[in-house]
């Protein structure tokens, strides 16, 4: 990556965003200090040295620490200067680039995929699409698809730097000529082996917050999602591993539908820019407060479908933020692990995504019926259908395990069956300091037959925990064995 900086201004907000993208997408960086011709000649070298040091300080806490910095004047005199005015420092820049670049190994296998950056017509020839081959290979006569348009055409001719070729492989810059295709339909996009790319309406991505983004990443929030050549609006839902899987090794090439995941109101453990990471983590609903999972995910639902390869880079931004404000608009990045291609994915695919919310309700024991039964209250609202909760386990604060047996009356009270019975200690707590309602409160003794209507002086708590799967149409409540 070349990060081009106006030497008279230094880092600007968008320069910083470019640097953030570089950290996500690139391994190496060269900083180019441009417009050196605008510096006073007598003070030019000193100003260049000052800016170079400033840039090195900026890079100190990035992966590009110690990256080379080179001064140039790409267009001395500005855009209106005569063409005879030669650029300054460009040969040195080219030499530096050559010294920094390593030649990758090209792999011609796999489906053909080409990133198109220009499309135009040549009279009498056809439509030419120019771009870079990202994977695979292509030959004359091959059929290629423009997946965003669902159009398939045959390769009529090909050129590489104005030289006709019969084949090309991964890494080549290429112009492909096809016939009967309107160039106005495609400015930028992808061309591929027919049916090798799919259009998706939603995606599951592995996600990481960009630490310079201020504020939390909230579930249900909308972001500008950049994926492939496209940027579209998308709504996100964050989720993390189940609490017993926080330390699992991250997997960045697939998504495991057989595992369970915990719904999050927001991305957990924000970066250093967040004022109070611990508080934010607690608010996010993570059961193991203070511990950050090694991997987090998001379901991204696109406002319009996108065509992109699997495992491609995804960047979420707030591009509607003020460009002149000194804030990072880039919020998160990730890898697209699984695309949902069915238009009706909410019914056909999402039920297989086992993301759950952990629900907890708390109530109290109102009174004891017998050694194996108590009446509880304050766990449900008056209008709650308690039948839905029958059979679910509850824990008494005295240690016993009970099961919700039935509703008791019409006011939200319920009967709890305790299979193992109340322990002697619990019975003592529940019965030793009983207060009689009504007359007992006025100093009168309780009659034996009224003993069952007595309440413990100190409330004994009841707690109910269950999972509810976000995409379960029946909204069932599930308890772990």
């Amino acid at each position: 990556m070349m990060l081009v900086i106006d030497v008279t201004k230094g880092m600007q907000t968008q320069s910083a965003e470019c640097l953030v993208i570089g950290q996500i997408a690139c391994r190496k960086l060269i900083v180019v200090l441009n417009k050196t011709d605008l510096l006073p000649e007598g003070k030019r070298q000193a100003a260049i040295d000052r800016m170079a040091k400033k840039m090195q300080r900026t890079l100190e806490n990035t992966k590009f620490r110690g990256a080379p910095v080179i001064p140039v004047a790409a267009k001395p005199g500005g855009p209106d200067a005569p063409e005879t005015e030669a650029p300054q420092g460009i040969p040195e820049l080219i030499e530096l680039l050559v010294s920094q670049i390593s030649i990758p190994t090209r792999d011609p296998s796999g489906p053909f995929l080409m990133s198109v950056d220009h499309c135009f017509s040549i009279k009498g020839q056809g439509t030419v699409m120019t771009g870079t081959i990202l994977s695979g290979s292509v030959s004359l006569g091959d059929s290629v698809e423009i997946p965003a348009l669902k159009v398939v055409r045959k390769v009529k001719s090909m050129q590489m730097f104005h030289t006709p070729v019969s084949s090309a492989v991964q890494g080549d810059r290429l112009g492909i000529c096809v016939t009967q295709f309107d160039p106005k339909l495609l400015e930028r996009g992808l061309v591929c082996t027919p049916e090798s790319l799919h259009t998706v309406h939603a995606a599951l991505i592995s996600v990481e917050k960009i630490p310079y983004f201020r504020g939390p990443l909230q579930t249900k929030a909308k972001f500008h999602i950049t994926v492939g050549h496209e940027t579209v609006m998308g709504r996100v839902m964050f989720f993390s591993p189940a609490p017993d899987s926080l330390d699992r090794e991250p997997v960045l090439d697939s998504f495991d539908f057989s595992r369970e995941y915990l719904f999050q109101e927001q991305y957990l453990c924000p970066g250093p820019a967040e004022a109070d990471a611990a508080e934010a983590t607690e608010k996010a609903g993570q059961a193991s407060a203070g511990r950050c999972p090694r991997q987090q995910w998001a379901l991204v639902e696109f406002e319009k479908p996108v065509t992109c390869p699997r495992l491609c880079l995804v960047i979420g931004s707030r591009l509607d933020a003020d460009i002149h404000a000194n804030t990072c608009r880039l919020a998160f990045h990730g890898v697209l692990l699984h695309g949902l291609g069915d238009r009706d994915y909410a019914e056909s695919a999402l039920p297989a995504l086992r993301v759950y919310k952990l629900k907890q309700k708390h109530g109290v024991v109102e009174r004891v019926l017998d050694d194996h039964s108590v009446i509880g209250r304050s766990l449900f609202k008056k209008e709650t259908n308690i039948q839905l909760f029958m059979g679910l386990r509850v824990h008494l604060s005295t240690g016993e395990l009970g099961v919700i047996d039935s509703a008791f009356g019409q006011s939200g009270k319920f009967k709890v069956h305790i299979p193992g019975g109340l322990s002697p200690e619990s019975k003592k707590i529940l019965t030793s300091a009983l207060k009689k309602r009504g007359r007992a409160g006025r100093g009168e003794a309780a009659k034996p037959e009224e003993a069952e209507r007595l309440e413990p002086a100190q409330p004994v708590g009841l707690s109910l925990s269950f999972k509810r799967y976000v995409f379960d149409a029946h909204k069932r409540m599930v308890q772990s064995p």
Side-chain angles (χ1 to χ4, degrees):
M1 171 181 173
M2 284 198 301
L3 182 63
V4 183
I5 301 293
D6 182 337
V7 73
T8 67
K9 295 179 181 176
M11 286 285 285
Q12 305 291 293
T13 301
Q14 281 185 286
S15 313
E17 289 181 345
C18 289
L19 182 55
V20 170
I21 293 171
Q23 288 195 85
I24 295 167
C26 301
R27 289 191 298 273
K28 289 186 176 182
L29 174 80
I30 292 173
V31 179
V32 181
L33 300 179
N34 193 24
K35 302 188 180 181
T36 55
D37 58 302
L38 298 182
L39 299 169
E41 201 162 338
K43 301 176 181 177
R44 185 171 297 170
Q45 192 55 49
I48 289 170
D49 291 344
R50 274 197 309 275
M51 186 57 72
K53 281 183 183 174
K54 201 171 180 182
M55 290 306 303
Q56 290 292 5
R57 285 198 300 271
T58 300
L59 299 177
E60 190 72 26
N61 295 318
T62 74
K63 69 194 277 189
F64 302 125
R65 181 179 180 181
V69 181
I70 188 167
V72 304
K75 181 75 172 164
D80 300 324
E83 291 297 323
T84 52
E85 197 73 48
Q88 299 164 12
I90 298 300
E92 291 81 0
L93 173 59
I94 291 171
E95 191 178 323
L96 178 60
L97 278 168
V98 170
S99 73
Q100 293 288 312
I101 289 172
S102 58
I103 298 177
T105 303
R106 299 185 180 191
D107 181 6
S109 64
F112 168 67
L113 178 62
M114 175 168 151
S115 170
V116 173
D117 46 54
H118 191 34
C119 189
F120 57 93
S121 62
I122 298 179
K123 197 170 182 181
Q125 296 289 318
T127 296
V128 175
M129 298 176 286
T130 63
T132 302
I133 300 179
L134 301 178
S135 68
S137 60
V138 65
S139 301
L140 287 176
D142 283 355
S143 291
V144 295
E145 181 184 13
I146 300 141
L149 304 171
K150 302 288 185 280
V151 168
V152 176
R153 293 288 182 270
K154 276 202 168 178
V155 178
K156 180 185 173 188
S157 62
M158 300 192 298
Q159 284 193 4
M160 214 183 291
F161 299 105
H162 305 292
T163 303
V165 293
S166 58
S167 64
V169 298
Q170 181 187 52
D172 285 336
R173 285 289 299 173
L174 185 68
I176 290 179
C177 183
V178 299
T179 57
Q180 297 179 326
F181 179 67
D182 183 353
K184 291 175 187 170
L185 296 175
L186 182 71
E187 182 185 5
R188 293 180 179 179
L190 297 168
V191 175
C192 63
T193 299
E195 298 187 8
S196 63
L197 277 194
H198 300 287
T199 299
V200 298
H201 298 267
L204 297 169
I205 68 169
S206 177
V207 65
E208 284 185 49
K209 184 179 180 183
I210 292 169
Y212 309 104
F213 183 78
R214 293 180 186 171
L217 304 180
Q218 300 280 13
T219 281
K220 293 187 179 176
K222 284 187 177 181
F223 291 90
H224 293 87
I225 308 294
T226 301
V227 52
H229 272 73
E230 299 182 72
T231 297
V232 300
M233 293 303 293
R235 191 185 299 275
V236 296
M237 182 198 82
F238 295 103
F239 55 98
S240 68
D244 60 354
S245 304
L246 293 183
D247 297 323
R248 281 182 76 116
E249 195 71 30
V251 178
L252 296 176
D253 61 357
S254 62
F255 184 83
D256 189 350
F257 280 92
S258 68
R259 285 176 56 198
E260 293 198 340
Y261 302 90
L262 182 59
F263 170 88
Q264 297 296 348
E265 292 289 353
Q266 66 183 37
Y267 182 89
L268 296 179
C269 297
E274 195 67 50
D276 191 339
E279 184 184 343
T281 302
E282 192 179 327
K283 284 180 184 173
Q286 175 54 267
S288 305
R291 291 181 64 207
C292 292
R294 295 183 64 185
Q295 186 173 14
Q296 295 181 60
W297 299 266
L299 167 68
V300 184
E301 300 182 87
F302 302 114
E303 286 197 350
K304 66 170 198 168
V306 297
T307 303
C308 57
R310 196 175 144 269
L311 302 182
C312 66
L313 174 65
V314 180
I315 296 179
S317 336
R318 279 278 167 75
L319 299 180
D320 49 342
D322 182 4
I323 197 170
H324 301 295
N326 188 26
T327 57
C328 179
R329 298 177 300 162
L330 307 173
F332 62 84
H333 67 96
V335 178
L336 193 148
L337 301 177
H338 186 88
L340 304 175
D342 189 344
R343 189 184 298 275
D344 299 318
Y345 66 89
E347 290 78 33
S348 63
L350 288 188
L353 180 59
R354 300 168 69 196
V355 176
Y356 66 86
K357 293 182 180 181
L358 205 51
K359 299 282 190 179
Q360 290 188 314
K361 291 176 174 288
H362 299 282
V364 293
V365 173
E366 183 179 87
R367 63 181 181 272
V368 180
L369 287 181
D370 55 48
D371 285 356
H372 288 81
S373 304
V374 296
I375 300 299
R377 62 175 170 82
S378 304
L379 199 65
F380 306 112
K381 294 177 182 174
K382 184 179 178 181
E383 62 272 17
T384 301
N385 181 1
I386 293 175
Q387 278 193 322
L388 298 173
F389 295 85
M390 283 164 52
L392 293 184
R393 299 186 302 277
V394 292
H395 289 270
L396 278 70
S397 59
T398 47
E400 286 84 1
L401 181 68
V403 178
I404 296 175
D405 190 57
S406 62
F408 189 83
Q410 304 295 316
S411 59
K413 295 178 185 179
F414 51 96
K415 182 179 174 185
V416 176
H417 173 64
I418 301 165
L422 291 166
S423 70
E425 294 82 3
S426 300
K427 280 194 279 188
K428 190 175 178 184
I429 293 169
L430 286 162
T431 59
S432 65
L434 291 177
K435 304 182 295 182
K436 187 174 81 89
R437 288 183 185 175
R439 286 179 298 173
R442 297 194 295 272
E444 298 179 27
K447 294 179 181 177
E449 66 269 17
E450 290 179 325
E452 287 185 1
R453 297 177 54 212
L454 303 177
E455 290 186 344
Q458 297 231 328
V460 171
L462 285 168
S463 61
L464 168 66
S465 298
F466 58 90
K467 298 175 184 177
R468 186 167 261 166
Y469 291 90
V470 175
F471 302 111
D472 177 8
H474 302 291
K475 304 291 182 192
R476 284 169 290 218
M477 290 160 287
V478 179
Q479 289 183 317
S480 301

